[in-house]
Amino acid sequence: MTDSLTIRRPDDWHLHFRDDAVMKGVVPFTARQFARAIVMPNLSPPVTSVEGCAAYRDRIRAAVPQGVDFTPLMTAYLTDDVEGDELARGFAEGVFTAAKLYPAHATTGSAHGVTDIARIMPALEKMASVGMPLLIHGEVTDSHVDIFDREAVFIERTLTGLVRNLPELKIVFEHITTADAAAFVDVSGPNVAATITPQHLHINRNAMFTGGIRPHAYCLPVAKREVHRLALRKAATSGSTKYFLGTDSAPHAQSAKESACGCAGIFNAPYALESYVTVFDEEGALDRFEAFASENGPRFYGLPLNEGTITLERGETTVPDTVDANGTTIVPFHAGEILGWVYRG
Ligand SMILES: [Zn+2]
């Protein structure tokens, strides 16, 4: 039995830091475990300009604790009016690493999102020509479509056509939640990859209703049936280079989750690696964890692999009921549980 796992320093390829006081509180959790993170741009207002993005990056850098080596990788928020030249300029200047597509009203902070992908095709063509990845929140927003079907319907209505029409565009299908999404990624060409969150590997939709309504198990895309969770575990641990770590860690105050209209999002940053490695351990795939956490992501993005290593050891990590993020109380993923691995740094 492997009791200790030392891997190249990992990255988080999908993350929400928010801004202001709470951002200052959550950045250290991610910087403690990851060398880099793809920072999502769904602030209010969203991050759309090169200058606005550079300023946001500066605020994040200022929140990284002294002596900690952490690099935020920034993203542009796509709107119907996006200019391909502005994206390409930000990409060339090293400010934008990628651009994020939110279908309008799909999740937190997506009110300014894209209403029809046809409207942004010129910008997507520009991105493809300069090698800038497109990151997609893959759900339709049509309220007539059942919430548990929105990812599968998005593949059918939007993603299949986009990949067919623009095969040279690098696409990350973010936080996939269904067997349908994994099947789509598997059969697509090398320019299509996906991130998978820890929560979608650990919980199915029953978690939201265990003995009552459980707001801390609610995120978007929402957890699906068990058959989908099992398909995601298979994909993540398969050894395919198309899958990589992206936590989608999303901090909301405890009071905003435990409400008559609770926010969507799970805050998993404090124990992300312990959570993921538990899955790989249970699946007998510890030897594949390093590729998922530290290699597949940078290779897809065309970025260098990190230097240095981190170590995880078998042992007990007790996840607290709440964590403090610079004055905001947040309930973390796995609150109150004991995980079977310890992060040693
Ligand atoms: Zn997200």
Side-chain angles (χ1 to χ4, degrees):
M1 192 158 80
T2 309
D3 289 324
S4 174
L5 188 65
T6 295
I7 61 169
R8 186 185 288 278
R9 286 185 76 201
D11 305 301
D12 182 351
W13 297 95
H14 186 127
L15 179 66
H16 299 271
F17 274 149
R18 314 302 185 202
D19 208 347
D20 304 318
V22 76
M23 180 270 285
K24 289 180 192 150
V26 299
V27 164
F29 289 112
T30 291
R32 177 175 162 265
Q33 294 206 328
F34 296 101
R36 296 172 288 194
I38 284 279
V39 180
M40 290 297 151
N42 58 329
L43 304 183
S44 151
V47 178
T48 53
S49 71
V50 180
E51 287 68 30
C53 188
Y56 182 37
R57 183 172 63 180
D58 288 344
R59 297 197 292 280
I60 293 168
R61 284 174 173 162
V64 176
Q66 283 286 329
V68 174
D69 171 28
F70 173 77
T71 304
L73 302 174
M74 308 306 290
T75 55
Y77 182 107
L78 297 179
T79 65
D80 282 348
D81 310 317
V82 67
E83 302 273 351
D85 289 342
E86 174 81 350
L87 294 176
R89 178 172 75 88
F91 186 64
E93 291 177 8
V95 177
F96 295 150
T97 298
K100 178 76 185 283
L101 170 65
Y102 289 99
H105 307 292
T107 187
T108 306
S110 60
H112 304 275
V114 172
T115 56
D116 180 354
I117 203 154
R119 300 182 65 153
I120 62 163
M121 275 313 282
L124 298 183
E125 284 162 10
K126 183 78 189 182
M127 287 172 61
S129 74
V130 299
M132 182 176 182
L134 174 68
L135 318 182
I136 299 183
H137 181 115
E139 289 190 291
V140 295
T141 52
D142 181 343
S143 60
H144 299 296
V145 176
D146 189 283
I147 190 167
F148 294 101
D149 296 333
R150 286 178 191 172
E151 185 174 276
V153 173
F154 182 84
I155 295 169
E156 192 183 296
R157 286 191 190 165
T158 304
L159 199 50
T160 302
L162 176 62
V163 170
R164 187 178 52 231
N165 294 336
L166 204 50
E168 54 280 22
L169 179 63
K170 280 192 201 181
I171 294 175
V172 183
F173 194 171
E174 298 290 341
H175 44 53
I176 61 169
T177 62
T178 57
D180 311 65
F184 177 82
V185 171
D186 283 339
V187 301
S188 296
N191 282 340
V192 177
T195 53
I196 306 181
T197 76
Q199 57 266 24
H200 292 110
L201 297 170
H202 277 279
I203 65 173
N204 63 34
R205 64 190 192 175
N206 288 341
M208 291 181 288
F209 309 106
T210 307
I213 190 94
R214 299 284 181 177
H216 299 292
Y218 173 57
C219 61
L220 288 174
V222 71
K224 307 295 193 302
R225 287 177 181 276
E226 178 66 358
V227 63
H228 296 294
R229 185 183 77 96
L230 295 178
L232 297 173
R233 287 172 75 103
K234 191 164 168 231
T237 60
S238 66
S240 165
T241 58
K242 287 169 157 267
Y243 298 101
F244 38 88
L245 188 160
T247 64
D248 196 19
S249 184
H252 290 284
Q254 182 175 17
S255 56
K257 294 283 291 176
E258 297 173 9
S259 151
C261 185
C263 292
I266 291 179
F267 183 57
N268 57 37
Y271 304 95
L273 290 175
E274 296 92 323
S275 179
Y276 275 116
V277 78
T278 298
V279 172
F280 279 72
D281 189 13
E282 288 166 356
E283 296 291 328
L286 286 175
D287 59 323
R288 294 174 177 173
F289 186 55
E290 181 172 35
F292 177 80
S294 315
E295 296 173 354
N296 297 345
R299 287 201 174 115
F300 184 83
Y301 274 78
L303 295 170
L305 303 191
N306 295 316
E307 300 295 329
T309 59
I310 59 103
T311 296
L312 291 149
E313 286 174 4
R314 217 176 275 282
E316 289 195 352
T317 293
T318 303
V319 179
D321 291 338
T322 61
V323 296
D324 172 64
N326 192 26
T328 299
T329 301
I330 306 178
V331 176
F333 186 45
H334 298 296
E337 293 176 29
I338 295 174
L339 298 171
W341 287 82
V342 179
Y343 173 69
R344 294 290 181 208

